[in-house]
């Protein structure tokens, strides 16, 4: 088999204006949110939900994902450092030993924290706009995997969350890291999440499937975090304390989400079947 190793040597910055960088990560993160919001506009119309509720969704979603992801990284992956540098949790800076301040952007974001933050903000959103909480979780679940796809593509552009060494012909050589052919784990996840988006969107659009509120939410987090656990096996560990662990932090944090997802699928599938039989 012929090796088709891809030399990956992208600069994470697109442009730098007066010391403030525009990075691929931020651009792709925003593109994922905007595309998801655009798709949800059609879904909101189909569900007869108000326009002002849709207009506010982007703000709630952005704040929930971003704040949750930032706090998740600081608490789950690098608590020792950020507990001593609290200001850097909230500001996109790094302060060196002699007190110099450098703008570096928010380099640490954790998907598990982002999911928790989004779920919390959506509760507040559901109360504000008088939409059933499980219903809004279902609607967000349709596009959440698409947003996750863009985030993993952003990780790819940053040459971060790279895979273990491999001799597979499609290996990437991340020149910013080393000269070793590696699994493009970010690309694996991006493709997996795109497939999950297609699956959930198809289930939503299939009119002859009767599902209770909460089923799509359960399906989404079950599939997303199951893939997260599996793909972690071909990734390098993100932090030193994970060395020697049977399951790394990403896998451990994924387990509760899968349990919750299975619960919501089982609960709402059973409920929908009961309601369907009663109505006939």
């Amino acid at each position: 088999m012929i090796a088709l190793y891809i030399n990956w040597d992208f600069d994470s910055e697109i442009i730098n204006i007066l010391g403030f960088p525009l990075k691929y990560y931020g651009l792709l993160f925003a593109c994922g949110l905007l595309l998801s919001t655009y798709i949800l506009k059609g879904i909101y119309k189909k569900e007869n939900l108000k326009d002002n509720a849709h207009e506010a969704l982007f703000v709630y979603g952005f704040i929930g994902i971003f704040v949750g992801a930032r706090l998740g990284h600081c608490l789950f992956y690098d608590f020792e450092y950020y507990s001593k540098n609290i200001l850097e949790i909230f500001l996109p800076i790094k302060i060196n030993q002699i007190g110099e301040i450098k703008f570096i952007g928010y380099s640490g974001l954790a998907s598990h924290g982002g999911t928790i933050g989004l779920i919390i903000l959506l509760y507040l959103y559901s109360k504000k706009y008088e939409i059933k909480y499980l219903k809004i979780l279902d609607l967000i679940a349709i596009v959440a995997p698409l947003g996750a796809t863009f985030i993993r593509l952003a990780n790819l552009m940053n040459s971060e969350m790279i895979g273990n060494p491999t001799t597979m012909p499609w290996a990437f050589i991340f020149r910013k890291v080393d000269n070793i052919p590696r699994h493009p784990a970010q690309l694996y996840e991006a493709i997996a999440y795109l497939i999950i988006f297609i699956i959930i969107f198809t289930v939503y659009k299939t009119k002859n499937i009767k599902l209770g509120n909460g089923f799509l939410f359960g399906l989404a987090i079950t599939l997303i975090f199951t893939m997260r656990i599996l793909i972690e096996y071909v990734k390098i560990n993100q932090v030193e304390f994970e060395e020697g662990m049977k399951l790394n932090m990403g896998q451990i944090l994924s387990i509760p989400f899968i349990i919750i997802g299975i619960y919501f699928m089982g609960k709402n599938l059973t409920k929908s079947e009961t309601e369907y039989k009663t109505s006939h």
Side-chain angles (χ1 to χ4, degrees):
M1 188 177 291
I2 299 173
L4 302 174
Y5 298 157
I6 297 173
N7 286 287
W8 195 258
D9 194 20
F10 276 87
D11 190 332
S12 62
E13 290 186 11
I14 302 171
I15 191 172
N16 192 303
I17 302 175
L18 300 176
F20 293 91
L22 172 62
K23 296 187 176 184
Y24 283 105
Y25 192 102
L27 178 62
L28 286 166
F29 184 92
C31 286
L33 275 177
L34 288 171
L35 181 57
S36 297
T37 304
Y38 175 78
I39 292 172
L40 278 170
K41 184 174 183 178
I43 293 174
Y44 265 54
K45 185 176 181 179
K46 179 182 177 182
E47 297 290 333
N48 295 316
L49 297 175
K50 297 177 181 178
D51 288 340
N52 66 331
H54 174 263
E55 292 168 1
L57 184 62
F58 179 86
V59 176
Y60 278 83
F62 179 83
I63 294 174
I65 293 170
F66 182 76
V67 173
R70 182 60 178 164
L71 292 177
H73 171 79
C74 297
L75 294 174
F76 299 146
Y77 289 95
D78 210 354
F79 178 76
E80 183 177 355
Y81 175 81
Y82 285 104
S83 64
K84 299 173 183 175
N85 299 274
I86 295 176
L87 190 62
E88 293 181 25
I89 296 176
F90 306 101
L91 299 177
I93 61 172
K94 190 171 185 65
I95 305 172
N96 64 22
Q97 294 180 343
I98 61 175
E100 293 177 337
I101 299 176
K102 181 180 180 181
F103 180 90
I104 61 168
Y106 293 100
S107 59
L109 300 172
S111 58
H112 297 89
T115 303
I116 294 171
L118 179 61
I119 289 172
I120 292 172
L121 262 291
L122 287 178
Y123 177 77
L124 301 178
Y125 171 86
S126 69
K127 294 297 182 183
K128 171 72 174 178
Y129 292 95
E130 299 180 341
I131 304 172
K132 288 182 179 180
Y133 184 45
L134 285 180
K135 183 178 182 65
I136 192 61
L137 286 181
D138 275 345
L139 298 185
I140 295 298
I142 298 170
V143 297
L146 184 61
T149 299
F150 277 83
I151 290 174
R152 285 298 175 255
L153 291 176
N155 294 138
L156 179 65
M157 297 304 295
N158 274 2
S159 295
E160 60 190 5
M161 300 184 71
I162 62 176
N164 295 324
T166 182
T167 57
M168 301 303 289
W170 56 79
F172 277 45
I173 299 176
F174 295 97
R175 296 295 186 186
K176 301 283 184 192
V177 180
D178 54 32
N179 295 316
I180 301 173
R182 295 178 177 276
H183 284 287
Q186 319 96 320
L187 193 55
Y188 295 167
E189 276 196 77
I191 293 171
Y193 296 155
L194 181 59
I195 292 171
I196 292 171
F197 162 69
I198 294 170
I199 291 171
I200 296 175
F201 189 76
T202 301
V203 171
Y204 170 73
K205 295 285 285 185
T206 304
K207 295 180 180 179
N208 61 341
I209 298 179
K210 306 296 180 181
L211 301 170
N213 287 335
F215 181 87
L216 293 180
F217 166 68
L219 178 62
I221 62 174
T222 299
L223 292 177
I224 288 172
F225 289 106
T226 296
M227 292 309 303
R228 177 65 186 271
I229 286 178
L230 295 175
I231 295 174
E232 285 293 318
Y233 284 111
V234 298
K235 284 184 188 176
I236 65 170
N237 288 324
Q238 302 302 303
V239 286
E240 289 185 10
F241 70 76
E242 291 179 318
E243 297 298 334
M245 296 172 62
K246 291 183 178 180
L247 296 176
N248 65 26
M249 181 58 72
Q251 292 171 315
I252 292 170
L253 293 172
S254 295
I255 293 172
F257 286 98
I258 294 172
I259 294 172
I260 292 169
I262 292 172
Y263 167 77
F264 273 98
M265 281 194 295
K267 177 177 180 293
N268 291 290
L269 182 60
T270 302
K271 180 180 178 181
S272 66
E273 288 177 348
T274 302
E275 291 175 346
Y276 183 77
K277 290 177 182 178
T278 302
S279 64
H280 289 70

